[in-house]
């Protein structure tokens, strides 16, 4: 079995964590993997909040169905998608490409107008849903990176997004929360799923080979 598949079998959506802190270096690796996540046209239309503050976690716990991992985690990541995408966001992205690659902004005019034509012609809601899908790719990176670092993680949609946005002042920042992840270490004694077998659809149902 490849090392990666071994780690992916090791990981599971942890229901109880033991409060042990994730070392900064491992957290940084997970954040770097999120940063390296691909996104459509490369825009990265999302922002990730990294929450380690105990009081904030306590408040989130109550608006996330009191899921215990929130309090027992070392850090909590909130993936928030951009509420809308503006011409200015695209211009800033062009400037970033130009400075990163040492090329002129003018040389990107064709790319800029093609992505502007696509994105700015769609409704705000369609763009928000699109941004949320990009954020979920970053979520996948976070989960795989955590597993490779032997850090447990629980992806969660079980929270009240409106209340979380309110608590973290996300709407003022042009953001809306879409999914959260707790990072920490499994509590072997308290977690009923710690030794549960993975449930996955069979290979020949999940894949169609042509
Ligand atoms: C987007 C998403 C949202 C999820 N929401 C929750 C959640 O709120 N609480 C929870 O305990 N598990 C949650 N899960 C975990 C899933 O139940 C779990 O990933 C699935 O049953 C497969 O099991 P495994 O991840 O342990 O292999 C979520 C998973 C994903 C990908």
């Amino acid at each position: 079995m490849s090392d990666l598949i071994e780690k992916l079998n090791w990981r599971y959506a942890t229901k109880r964590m033991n409060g042990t802190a994730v070392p900064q270096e491992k957290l940084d690796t997970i954040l770097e993997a999120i940063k390296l996540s691909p996104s459509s046209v490369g825009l990265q239309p999302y922002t990730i909040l990294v929450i380690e503050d105990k009081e904030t976690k306590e408040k989130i716990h109550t608006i996330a169905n009191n899921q215990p991992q929130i309090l027992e985690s070392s850090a909590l990541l909130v993936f928030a998608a951009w509420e809308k995408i503006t011409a200015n966001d695209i211009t800033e992205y062009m400037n970033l490409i130009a400075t990163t690659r040492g090329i002129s902004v003018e040389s990107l005019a064709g790319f800029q107008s093609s992505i502007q034509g696509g994105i700015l012609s769609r409704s705000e809601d369609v763009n928000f849903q699109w941004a949320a899908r990009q954020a979920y790719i970053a979520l996948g990176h976070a989960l795989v990176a955590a597993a490779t670092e032997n850090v447990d993680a629980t992806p969660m949609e079980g929270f009240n997004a409106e209340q979380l946005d309110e608590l973290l002042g996300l709407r003022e920042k042009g953001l809306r929360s879409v999914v959260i992840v707790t990072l920490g270490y499994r509590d072997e004694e308290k977690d009923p799923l710690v030794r549960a077998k993975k449930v996955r659809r069979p290979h020949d149902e999940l894949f169609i080979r042509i």
Side-chain angles (χ1 to χ4, degrees), residues 144-190:
V144 176
T148 63
E149 291 298 312
N150 293 317
V151 171
D152 281 304
T154 318
M156 293 183 179
E157 281 177 334
F159 63 94
N160 184 315
E162 266 177 36
Q163 288 177 13
L164 186 60
D165 295 352
E166 172 81 31
L167 173 71
L168 299 173
L170 295 185
R171 296 303 273 263
E172 294 90 296
K173 296 183 175 76
L175 300 170
R176 283 168 65 185
S177 57
V178 291
V179 65
I180 64 181
V181 178
T182 56
L183 296 172
Y185 293 97
R186 63 190 66 176
D187 186 325
E188 304 250 356
E189 272 157 33
K190 291 195 186 134

Side-chain angles (χ1 to χ4, degrees), residues 48-130:
I48 295 94
L49 289 93
V50 183
I51 297 169
E52 293 171 283
D53 177 62
K54 193 168 172 279
E55 273 176 36
T56 308
K57 280 200 265 177
E58 278 164 9
K59 288 182 187 148
I60 295 175
H61 177 243
T62 63
I63 56 177
N65 306 327
N66 296 313
Q67 297 190 67
Q69 315 90 313
I70 294 184
L71 297 178
E72 297 160 354
S73 67
S74 171
L76 178 73
L77 307 181
V78 176
F79 289 75
W82 292 357
E83 197 173 19
K84 54 185 172 195
I85 298 167
T86 64
N88 189 47
D89 294 326
I90 296 170
T91 302
E92 275 185 17
Y93 175 44
M94 293 303 122
N95 291 338
L96 179 64
I97 300 174
T99 50
T100 305
R101 295 190 168 154
I103 56 176
S104 68
V105 176
E106 293 71 38
S107 70
L108 296 165
F111 180 48
Q112 178 161 8
S113 76
S114 96
I115 66 171
Q116 268 185 356
I119 294 173
L120 300 182
S121 65
R122 303 190 302 228
S123 71
E124 274 180 15
D125 187 57
V126 166
N127 278 338
F128 167 69
Q129 299 301 339
W130 173 79

